[in-house]
Amino acid sequence: MRQKNSIFIRPFIIFIDLLLINSVVYIISDREYLNFSFLSYILSFWLFISYYTKFYNVYRYTHVSRLVSLLLSQFFIFSLAYLSYFSIFKEGKIVDNQLFVLFLILGSVTFFKFFIFYLLKKYRSKGNNFRNVVLFGELSSAKKLDTLFHNKNDLGYRFYGFFSDKIYNSNNYLGYSKDGFKYIEDHKIDEIYCDLSQVNPNQLIKIRKFVEEKKLELRFLPENKAIYSKNYILEYFGTTPILKPKPLPFEKIETHILKRILDIFLSVIVSVFILTWLFPILFIIIKIDSKGPLFFKQKRDGLNGKQFYCYKLRSMKVNKEADVLSASKNDLRITRIGTFLRKSSLDELPQFFNVLIGNMSVVGPRPHINIQTKKYINEVENYLVRNSVKPGITGLAQISGYRGEVIKKSDIENRVKLDIFYIENWSFFLDIKIISQTFISLFKQEDKAY
């Protein structure tokens, strides 16, 4: 079983734990009085608590002391949740011998937790469920890794060797650093290790970009100062310190859940309390001002480059250049009411429908027209990083003065830098701040709002 099959281990363990809890309650309790709402309650709470205690975040390098700590944290909070149920409902109406049932649940889960933990170690020590590893560094670091994985074969790692721009007379030496990427693809390498004292910043940028594209794991052999960096998580393989990059906010499922809740909440509020009465008024004004539809739709790049129709209130006369030419100052295509709509950003209001559909978010990088995207991909470094999140109605770049027409190259470069900063440093309160400042800016006259 290779790494690609390892993704099934955790769901399997979660399923068995839930099955054990369910079985204990079902077997011990009097089935005539068994309340299935109680079962739903404890199973839901078990999953909810395990998410916050990181109960199932057990890896091949996890030490047994960490396992004990996870068990104690999970059991303490779960016991409080379990017993609190009986402060409302009397024992006997749901289960008999509530404490016996609780201890049996905890005991069976503990047994299975340790059983699967040591079973996997035994399985890996036989050469199964392994991960292929290479190093970018030098000979002494390679020897350390080789010795570590050889002595702790229950971790399930196979060390192939190392890449360095220095030539070494060693069986583990695989070639120059520039040759490493092709080798990694050809030999199906799963994890890449870097010696931070030997890899220069430019090499590190290339390695991190490669790892992100190929969905590989990246680890670092730290310098002493790197151990205290806020950008890394320190782990121990036995007594050997290993660093891994902290996950970015949008790599966490909770970020997407929280952001989606905020999106739906704001979109519903705006749609119900503003758009229901404002759109009929704007429809009449726009139709009187010029011929054409109320809404203007245009294909834009969304999450992971997937195309979607972005909706706006029509602010221009109907023209054939809409998809190839952005609005500019004193643009003759813009209608009289369109000038007001664009300056007040009211033309963006239909995008709350995009947010409800799920194509956009309230806050995120602004989506550009396709012809601009094709141009900027080749001109602006890391431009496509913007596509790793949903585009937004407003964003950090927009409240920082970078909105509207791109006049010089630095405009789009600074916009992309701010978008990437937002992606790497997202927080719920940053979204709230951007939304608040966007609302305030509606009452200001901005030079580029045309």
Side-chain angles (χ1 to χ4, degrees):
M1 185 168 58
R2 286 294 310 278
Q3 181 190 0
K4 61 183 179 181
N5 296 322
S6 296
I7 60 173
F8 300 111
I9 294 176
R10 189 174 297 174
F12 171 73
I13 293 172
I14 295 172
F15 172 75
I16 295 297
D17 280 353
L18 296 178
L19 185 63
L20 285 171
I21 296 170
N22 184 78
S23 300
V24 168
V25 175
Y26 189 75
I27 293 170
I28 299 300
S29 302
D30 187 339
R31 296 174 194 177
E32 183 179 349
Y33 298 103
L34 181 59
N35 189 328
F36 285 97
S37 66
F38 170 69
L39 263 179
S40 301
Y41 170 83
I42 62 170
L43 292 177
S44 299
F45 257 94
W46 178 271
L47 291 174
F48 180 76
I49 294 164
S50 65
Y51 175 79
Y52 284 98
T53 61
K54 296 179 171 52
F55 184 63
Y56 293 105
N57 288 15
V58 178
Y59 308 98
R60 57 185 65 218
Y61 51 81
T62 298
H63 193 268
V64 67
S65 61
R66 171 63 178 164
L67 199 65
V68 172
S69 175
L70 289 172
L71 284 164
L72 291 175
S73 301
Q74 177 76 3
F75 289 172
F76 176 73
I77 302 173
F78 175 73
S79 297
L80 293 178
Y82 175 91
L83 294 173
S84 67
Y85 194 89
F86 294 99
S87 65
I88 302 172
F89 299 97
K90 291 183 180 179
E91 182 179 356
K93 290 186 176 180
I94 304 155
V95 294
D96 292 320
N97 303 313
Q98 63 184 33
L99 290 179
F100 177 68
V101 171
L102 175 62
F103 290 138
L104 200 57
I105 289 172
L106 303 186
S108 58
V109 171
T110 301
F111 173 79
F112 178 70
K113 191 83 168 176
F114 278 103
F115 173 76
I116 200 72
F117 180 75
Y118 285 107
L119 182 66
L120 285 171
K121 281 188 171 294
K122 188 72 174 176
Y123 187 66
R124 287 166 183 150
S125 68
K126 300 293 184 182
N128 301 300
N129 188 226
F130 58 87
R131 291 185 180 178
N132 296 327
V133 174
V134 295
L135 167 74
F136 286 86
E138 46 86 42
L139 184 60
S140 63
S141 298
K143 286 181 177 178
K144 287 179 183 177
L145 277 184
D146 193 23
T147 302
L148 170 66
F149 295 143
H150 178 74
N151 293 339
K152 291 189 170 292
N153 60 352
D154 58 354
L155 292 174
Y157 290 99
R158 288 184 179 177
F159 182 61
Y160 273 55
F162 71 104
F163 298 93
S164 175
D165 291 332
K166 299 177 184 177
I167 300 176
Y168 290 93
N169 184 20
S170 168
N171 292 332
N172 285 332
Y173 179 65
L174 301 174
Y176 291 110
S177 298
K178 62 183 177 64
D179 302 321
F181 300 129
K182 186 176 186 308
Y183 182 94
I184 288 166
E185 289 193 82
D186 291 343
H187 291 78
K188 297 180 180 179
I189 301 300
D190 302 305
E191 294 191 11
I192 299 174
Y193 285 69
C194 291
D195 185 339
L196 289 176
S197 64
Q198 298 295 320
V199 177
N200 65 54
N202 289 331
Q203 284 179 319
L204 191 57
I205 290 171
K206 291 179 182 178
I207 292 169
R208 293 196 71 160
K209 186 176 181 180
F210 177 79
V211 164
E212 289 172 7
E213 289 175 354
K214 303 301 179 182
K215 308 296 183 186
L216 303 177
E217 292 286 336
L218 180 62
R219 299 284 187 270
F220 299 103
L221 299 179
E223 301 174 279
N224 288 336
K225 62 180 180 181
I227 291 178
Y228 304 102
S229 172
K230 66 178 181 179
N231 298 317
Y232 301 105
I233 298 171
L234 178 64
E235 299 167 342
Y236 283 91
F237 287 21
T239 57
T240 303
I242 302 290
L243 293 176
K244 72 174 182 180
K246 282 188 177 178
L248 295 173
F250 285 96
E251 292 174 350
K252 302 175 183 177
I253 186 65
E254 57 264 37
T255 297
H256 296 278
I257 293 172
L258 190 58
K259 197 164 172 58
R260 187 61 183 150
I261 291 171
L262 179 64
D263 284 344
I264 293 173
F265 174 77
L266 290 175
S267 299
V268 169
I269 293 294
V270 171
S271 299
V272 172
F273 294 101
I274 299 177
L275 303 187
T276 50
W277 61 266
L278 184 59
F279 273 180
I281 297 172
L282 291 175
F283 174 75
I284 295 171
I285 296 173
I286 290 172
K287 292 295 284 185
I288 292 173
D289 188 49
S290 64
K291 293 180 180 180
L294 172 65
F295 297 114
F296 168 74
K297 68 176 185 177
Q298 189 176 58
K299 278 191 174 182
R300 304 281 179 98
D301 272 353
L303 180 64
N304 297 322
K306 185 177 180 181
Q307 295 277 295
F308 73 100
Y309 279 108
C310 179
Y311 292 93
K312 302 179 80 170
L313 289 174
R314 185 174 59 83
S315 58
M316 289 184 175
K317 299 170 186 174
V318 176
N319 66 94
K320 296 180 180 179
E321 297 178 318
D323 291 332
V324 296
L325 187 63
S326 295
S328 58
K329 196 168 186 178
N330 301 319
D331 197 317
L332 297 177
R333 296 174 298 165
I334 300 175
T335 62
R336 287 172 296 175
I337 185 61
T339 302
F340 167 74
L341 292 174
R342 297 177 79 92
K343 280 188 173 294
S344 61
S345 296
L346 289 175
D347 63 320
E348 311 285 359
L349 285 176
Q351 286 163 37
F352 281 99
F353 296 145
N354 284 113
V355 175
L356 281 174
I357 294 168
N359 294 326
M360 294 180 67
S361 179
V362 175
V363 181
R366 284 293 297 160
H368 296 143
I369 62 176
N370 290 343
I371 195 168
Q372 287 180 323
T373 298
K374 291 176 182 178
K375 176 185 177 184
Y376 297 145
I377 285 173
N378 300 318
E379 294 182 359
V380 183
E381 187 178 2
N382 296 322
Y383 178 81
L384 283 180
V385 174
R386 304 168 77 254
N387 286 353
S388 62
V389 300
K390 288 181 182 179
I393 298 175
T394 184
L396 184 60
Q398 282 63 49
I399 66 166
S400 302
Y402 295 100
R403 60 169 294 190
E405 185 182 12
V406 176
I407 298 173
K408 51 187 184 294
K409 189 178 179 181
S410 61
D411 289 340
I412 187 61
E413 288 176 338
N414 289 328
R415 191 176 297 185
V416 170
K417 285 177 182 177
L418 287 166
D419 287 338
I420 293 175
F421 178 88
Y422 170 79
I423 292 168
E424 294 181 346
N425 296 275
W426 177 90
S427 72
F428 178 77
F429 294 103
L430 179 57
D431 268 8
I432 298 298
K433 178 182 177 181
I434 292 171
I435 292 167
S436 301
Q437 290 193 18
T438 300
F439 180 75
I440 293 169
S441 69
L442 296 178
F443 303 97
K444 296 179 180 179
Q445 292 293 323
E446 295 188 38
D447 293 335
K448 285 194 174 183
Y450 50 79

